[in-house]
Amino acid sequence: MIGVLRAELHYAEERSVLESERRHQAGVVQATTTALSQALGVEDVLTALTSHEILGPVGAVGISLTVLEHNRLRRLATVGMPPKYVREVEYGRLDDDRPIAEVFQSQKALFVTREDIRANYSMLWPYIKGTGFTASAVLPLMAQARLTGVLAILYEGKKGFSPEERNLLTALSATVAQAFQRALLYDEEHAMAVGLQQAMLPARIEAVPGMSVAARYRPARAGHQIGGDWYDVMPLPEGRVGLVVGDVQGHDIQAAAVMGQLRTALRAYATEGHSPAALMSRASTFLRDLDTERLATCVYVSLGPATGSAEVVRAGHPSPHIRTARGSIQLTVEGGPPLGLPPGLPLSLADPSDAPYPIHHFHLGRQETLLLCTDGLLEFHDTDMAAGEHQIQMLLDSGPGPGELDRLAEHIVASIEDRQGQEDDVALLLASRTTPDP
């Protein structure tokens, strides 16, 4: 019985160790997956990799990520590495006497100890010998059969790596590789989308005789996405000028593409001399005929710089604000439905070209400033539209005067820079007259 009892105890002890190891491995995988799950771009991945959320569960004291750029090694991120190494070895060559270079060539994981570095890597040893590092796992990041980088994890007090630890770190590198590859693709697509959107927006605001105009665009911070917000300033017949701000539904390349087409159509209709109401109706029909499910909101102002006479129509969009000598106000403008409303929504507007867009007439005085913006400037987090409109009026009142519209635009946009998780794009257009009233 004694022998059997000892066998059972030994089995129970081994089972306990195995269960503990499995829980540790599961914890490492879960911590890594959680830390990387919110990462979109490369910068997000690098931030997650160098955070305690990954270093802690892995039990490492240092980590670095190196990529290959133009046939030379470049370290993208590091934490816990020897300071002298960080300063002097940011770049390297594929034939360097370093484990990282060896992994780039072999595309196989390398597990080295302090003794291995001293014996086999003379270039690296001077940076290591004065530290407490005892072991390192150098892991290739393979995604879709392609090497995207090398991850080096450094330890203190560890003498070697068990088979279970090697399997765990290999699995860890696969998770990091997938996140890194996804981030590279995201950044590439995002850069293309941002370039498309910037190409769709006016390269510069055309000079308007008798007027001062300033515009700003800020992309959403949350998710680093691009959207369909736009602004435009258009010369009109009889010396008038058209001011427009709009927002196409969505935050992707298609939203930016639809925005570009809609902006071009609005410019064409405005140049033809259509009334503001007819312009909105035509734009709505145009958007519907694009065979897209996207809707758009828009506000359009036709203004005479010489007289200050103005007309405004809006399609599901926030009304303009005006800063007067007595303080800022929001115009009460009866609005029409969003542009591109499909047939049947609602039944009374089965044909969006027949949708009513009431024209509101107002006068812009010599020392007054007109503000048009998208709802990203008014709504964020739990703040409703009314609170956002009140905040805009306060910013208008506290900002520079009509002669300094660029400074005023920066003053207003700066109010959103400190917002955490700005969820929508922001387009802002300011205008004031520089000619006296007749």
Side-chain angles (χ1 to χ4, degrees):
M1 290 299 297
I2 293 176
V4 174
L5 181 60
R6 287 179 177 175
E8 291 292 338
L9 286 173
H10 181 64
Y11 171 75
E13 182 180 353
E14 287 186 345
R15 182 175 181 181
S16 176
V17 171
L18 289 174
E19 288 296 331
S20 176
E21 182 64 26
R22 290 193 187 99
R23 286 194 298 270
H24 171 68
Q25 293 180 4
V28 171
V29 173
Q30 181 179 2
T32 304
T33 303
T34 301
L36 294 172
S37 62
Q38 302 299 320
L40 290 176
V42 170
E43 288 298 326
D44 297 331
V45 172
L46 300 182
T47 299
L49 281 177
T50 54
S51 68
H52 182 72
E53 282 72 14
I54 289 182
L55 284 177
V58 173
V61 296
I63 194 169
S64 72
L65 175 61
T66 303
V67 297
L68 185 64
E69 290 185 352
H70 308 295
N71 291 324
R72 67 172 182 170
L73 307 181
R74 181 195 172 196
R75 190 179 62 250
L76 288 186
T78 182
V79 65
M81 305 288 283
K84 186 177 181 182
Y85 178 80
V86 173
R87 290 193 307 267
E88 298 181 1
V89 195
E90 179 180 358
Y91 295 93
R93 303 188 312 178
L94 277 173
D95 58 355
D96 280 348
D97 187 19
R98 288 191 295 158
I100 289 177
E102 184 176 335
V103 171
F104 265 107
Q105 296 183 50
S106 67
Q107 299 188 7
K108 295 180 180 179
L110 189 61
F111 299 91
V112 296
T113 64
R114 186 180 182 87
E115 289 72 21
D116 294 331
I117 294 176
R118 179 168 53 185
N120 302 317
Y121 302 100
S122 58
M123 176 182 173
L124 186 59
W125 174 245
Y127 299 101
I128 298 297
K129 65 179 181 180
T131 69
F133 297 135
T134 58
S136 177
V138 188
L139 310 165
L141 300 182
M142 303 294 298
Q144 299 178 346
R146 177 172 171 263
L147 181 65
T148 58
V150 169
L151 188 69
I153 307 176
L154 279 69
Y155 295 86
E156 288 183 355
K158 181 181 287 294
K159 301 302 182 182
F161 298 89
S162 67
E164 292 77 16
E165 289 174 325
R166 296 187 180 210
N167 290 336
L168 173 62
L169 291 171
T170 301
L172 174 67
S173 69
T175 301
V176 174
Q178 293 297 327
F180 189 55
Q181 173 73 0
R182 184 178 67 247
L184 290 171
L185 294 175
Y186 174 87
D187 281 353
E188 181 179 340
E189 179 181 345
H190 181 66
M192 180 174 61
V194 169
L196 172 63
Q197 186 179 39
Q198 290 176 345
M200 297 297 183
L201 290 174
R204 61 181 179 84
I205 297 178
E206 299 180 30
V208 180
M211 287 195 63
S212 177
V213 182
R216 293 293 186 275
Y217 170 80
R218 292 292 186 273
R221 284 192 170 188
H224 309 291
Q225 294 286 343
I226 60 105
D229 290 27
W230 88 94
Y231 59 83
D232 208 350
V233 179
M234 305 168 290
L236 303 178
E238 301 179 358
R240 299 181 70 83
V241 61
L243 307 169
V244 61
V245 166
D247 183 3
V248 174
Q249 180 184 20
H251 292 86
D252 51 25
I253 293 179
Q254 185 182 8
V258 171
M259 175 269 285
Q261 297 176 80
L262 184 57
R263 172 178 169 260
T264 302
L266 277 167
R267 260 189 166 266
Y269 296 145
T271 303
E272 290 174 357
H274 296 288
S275 70
L279 184 147
M280 283 294 185
S281 295
R282 287 172 176 266
S284 184
T285 302
F286 173 84
L287 181 56
R288 182 192 61 186
D289 291 344
L290 284 181
D291 195 23
T292 176
E293 297 180 356
R294 309 296 176 104
L295 301 179
T297 66
C298 183
V299 59
Y300 174 80
V301 174
S302 172
L303 177 64
T307 64
S309 65
E311 301 172 331
V312 56
V313 292
R314 65 184 188 93
H317 201 88
S319 294
H321 290 75
I322 296 180
R323 182 172 69 177
T324 71
R326 297 179 299 274
S328 298
I329 61 171
Q330 183 178 30
L331 294 179
T332 302
V333 180
E334 183 182 355
L339 304 180
L341 192 71
L345 293 175
L347 292 177
S348 61
L349 299 176
D351 184 358
S353 64
D354 295 332
Y357 290 100
I359 297 178
H360 177 84
H361 298 266
F362 69 98
H363 177 268
L364 185 67
R366 170 71 171 78
Q367 296 296 325
E368 296 179 341
T369 299
L370 176 68
L371 179 148
L372 308 177
C373 68
T374 53
D375 57 3
L377 191 63
L378 305 175
E379 290 182 309
F380 60 99
H381 290 316
D382 298 327
T383 301
D384 59 19
M385 186 72 76
E389 290 168 348
H390 177 67
Q391 183 187 29
I392 286 299
Q393 292 177 10
M394 293 177 60
L395 290 169
L396 268 174
D397 290 337
S398 61
E404 301 178 289
L405 287 194
D406 276 315
R407 286 185 57 204
L408 179 59
E410 286 299 323
H411 171 70
I412 295 173
V413 169
S415 70
I416 69 172
E417 296 297 330
D418 296 331
R419 294 179 186 175
Q420 298 298 318
Q422 176 68 29
E423 297 178 352
D424 202 356
D425 299 343
V426 169
L428 169 67
L429 187 61
L430 299 173
S432 64
R433 294 172 53 220
T434 58
T435 55
D437 287 330

